[in-house]
Amino acid sequence: MSTIPLDYEALRLIWWLLLGILLIGFAIMGGRDMGVGALLPFAARTDDERRVLLNVVGPTWEGNQVWLVLGGGAIFAAFPPLYAVSFSGFYLAMIVILLALILRPVGFKFRGKITDKRWRDAWDWALFVGGAVPALIFGVAVGNVLLGAPFHLDGSMRAFYTGNFFQLLMPFALLCGLVSLAMIATQGAAVIAGRTEGVLAERARRIGMGTGLATIALFAIGGIWVGFLDGHVISSVTAPNAPINPLAKTVDLVRGGWLSNYTTYPWMLTAPALGFGGMALAVLSFWTRWRVPALLATSIGITGIIGSAGLSLYPFLLPSSTVPQAGLTLWDSSSSQMTLFIMLVATVIFLPLILAYTAWVFRVMRGTVSPQSITKNPNAY
C-alpha cells in the first residue's frame, strides 16, 4: 500500500467527485436525447418536423449513452455496497428505465419503415416514453436517496432491502422527478432551438421558456421541502482512511440536516446558485433567441441542480431510512485503495479520449437540420 502515491482518503474523495461528474455528464449529454424525445410530440407537429428532430439527435445518441455506462461502472467498481443495495433495491425502477430506453433505438429504426400516419404516431409516442420516463424516474430515485432507502445490514455486511416499487412514489420523490423532467425538457428545447430553424425553432423556444421557469419553481419548492426533511448527520468521529464498515458510525436524524453542509462549507452554495442562475439565463436566452448560450445555460443549470443534491448528501451516498447507522458514505462503502488507484489511472488515460472523440463527433455533426437537408441525405431517419 505504501507504494500508492495517493492515500485512501484522497482516492475516496476523488472517486466521489468523479462519480458526480459522470452522472452530470450523462444528464447533460443523455439529457439532450431524452429531452428531444420528451418534446417530440409537442415541439413537432408534422411528419417532416418530427423527422428533423430525430435527425438532430439520431447520429449522436448512442455515443451519449457512454456516460450512463461509465456512471454505472464507476458505482460497481468504486462503491460496491452502493451498487449492491441500489441496483437490487431499485430493481423494478431500473427495469422500467431500461425498457423505456430500449424504445429509443427501436423507434429510430422502425418509425420510417411504414409511411402510415398511425404507425409513425405510435412510434413517436414510444420515443416520447423513451425520453420522458427515464428523466422522471432518475429524479424520483434522487428524491428517494434524500428520503433514505429502506435497507439494513447484518453483522456480515449483507444488505437487506425492505421496500417495494410503490414506496418509491412518495410526494417528495415525485417532486424531484418533476424537477428532473422539467430540466431535461429544457435541455431538449435548447438543442431543438439551436439546431433547427423557422417555426420549429420558435416553438421550441416557447416550450423552453415554460419548462425553464417550471424548473426554477420546482427546484425552489424542493429546496424549501428539504429544509423540513430529517437529514442524516454523522455524530461520531469519521476515519476516512479506515477499512469498510458502515455500522461503525453513529448517525443522528436532524430536521433540515441536509442543509447543514451549506453552513459548514459555504462554498457549496455555488451549486444551487448555478442551478437557479443557469436556468434563468436559459429562459433569457430563449426569449432573446440566443442559440449557443441557451444550451450552455441549461447545461450549467443541470450541473447546479445535480450538484446541489450531491453536496447536500455529502458524505452520504445512500442513507438508510430504517437503520440510519447503516447508511452508506464514501468513507465506508468504497473499494480497496489499490482498486481505486488502478481505476483512477485508467480513467486518466481513457476519459480524455472519450471527451476528445465526443467533441470531434459533435463538430462533424454541427449545423442546422432542416427538411431539405434530410431529404438530400439517404441515410437520414
Side-chain angles (χ1 to χ4, degrees):
M1 291 296 182
S2 60
T3 59
I4 299 177
L6 293 172
D7 63 23
Y8 208 2
E9 178 182 1
L11 285 168
R12 283 168 161 169
L13 187 58
I14 288 171
W15 271 104
W16 175 74
L17 291 171
L18 282 174
L19 178 59
I21 290 171
L22 293 174
L23 294 179
I24 290 171
F26 171 66
I28 292 174
M29 303 304 294
R32 296 166 55 95
D33 314 317
M34 290 188 291
V36 172
L39 297 180
L40 182 63
F42 312 105
R45 305 288 173 78
T46 66
D47 184 66
D48 284 342
E49 288 180 347
R50 292 179 178 179
R51 286 192 64 202
V52 167
L53 297 194
L54 294 181
N55 285 278
V56 165
V57 297
T60 57
W61 76 267
E62 289 177 290
N64 292 335
Q65 295 301 110
V66 168
W67 295 96
L68 178 61
V69 176
L70 290 175
I75 294 174
F76 171 77
F79 302 104
L82 173 63
Y83 179 89
V85 175
S86 60
F87 278 67
S88 59
F90 299 157
Y91 180 76
L92 287 178
M94 297 288 183
I95 290 297
V96 172
I97 290 174
L98 290 176
L99 290 176
L101 289 175
I102 288 171
L103 290 175
R104 183 162 51 196
V106 176
F108 280 139
K109 297 298 183 183
F110 282 89
R111 182 188 184 277
K113 298 297 183 182
I114 300 176
T115 57
D116 181 71
K117 184 179 185 300
R118 290 175 298 177
W119 171 269
R120 294 193 172 186
D121 285 347
W123 283 113
D124 289 340
W125 284 105
L127 289 167
F128 162 78
V129 171
V133 170
L136 178 68
I137 295 183
F138 280 130
V140 170
V142 173
N144 277 279
V145 171
L146 287 164
L147 291 171
F151 74 94
H152 63 274
L153 305 173
D154 65 8
S156 60
M157 297 297 111
R158 291 183 302 170
F160 295 87
Y161 184 84
T162 56
N164 58 59
F165 176 79
F166 295 102
Q167 284 180 313
L168 301 177
L169 305 178
M170 301 293 288
F172 175 75
L174 291 174
L175 173 65
C176 293
L178 292 177
V179 173
S180 175
L181 179 59
M183 76 177 187
I184 293 302
T186 308
Q187 179 82 341
V191 172
I192 297 170
R195 295 289 309 281
T196 63
E197 55 190 12
V199 65
L200 187 54
E202 286 297 320
R203 200 177 292 133
R205 291 189 186 98
R206 290 196 298 270
I207 293 174
M209 283 191 286
T211 56
L213 291 172
T215 303
I216 293 171
L218 292 169
F219 185 42
I221 295 171
I224 295 171
W225 199 330
V226 167
F228 293 94
L229 295 179
D230 289 333
H232 295 222
V233 178
I234 299 176
S235 56
S236 58
V237 177
T238 301
N241 287 303
I244 294 176
N245 185 7
L247 299 177
K249 63 183 180 294
T250 302
V251 177
D252 296 328
L253 296 181
V254 179
R255 179 63 58 89
W258 290 135
L259 301 179
S260 62
N261 280 340
Y262 298 106
T263 302
T264 307
Y265 311 102
W267 63 267
M268 289 186 177
L269 290 169
T270 305
L274 289 175
F276 285 115
M279 286 300 165
L281 181 59
V283 172
L284 178 62
S285 298
F286 286 127
W287 183 51
T288 57
R289 294 175 174 78
W290 293 350
R291 292 194 175 195
V292 175
L295 183 57
L296 178 61
T298 54
S299 299
I300 292 173
I302 289 172
T303 300
I305 291 171
I306 297 177
S308 296
L311 293 174
S312 296
L313 287 164
Y314 176 85
F316 282 91
L317 298 172
L318 185 63
S320 170
S321 60
T322 51
V323 183
Q325 182 185 7
L328 304 177
T329 74
L330 70 148
W331 308 124
D332 56 30
S333 60
S334 69
S335 295
S336 67
Q337 184 178 2
M338 180 63 73
T339 300
L340 295 180
F341 178 72
I342 293 173
M343 289 171 54
L344 181 60
V345 172
T347 302
V348 169
I349 294 172
F350 290 105
L351 187 57
L353 296 177
I354 294 172
L355 291 172
Y357 175 75
T358 300
W360 177 78
V361 169
F362 276 90
R363 177 176 174 79
V364 172
M365 298 298 175
R366 71 187 185 280
T368 300
V369 181
S370 64
Q372 293 74 27
S373 65
I374 60 176
T375 301
K376 298 176 183 178
N377 183 3
N379 298 315
Y381 290 108

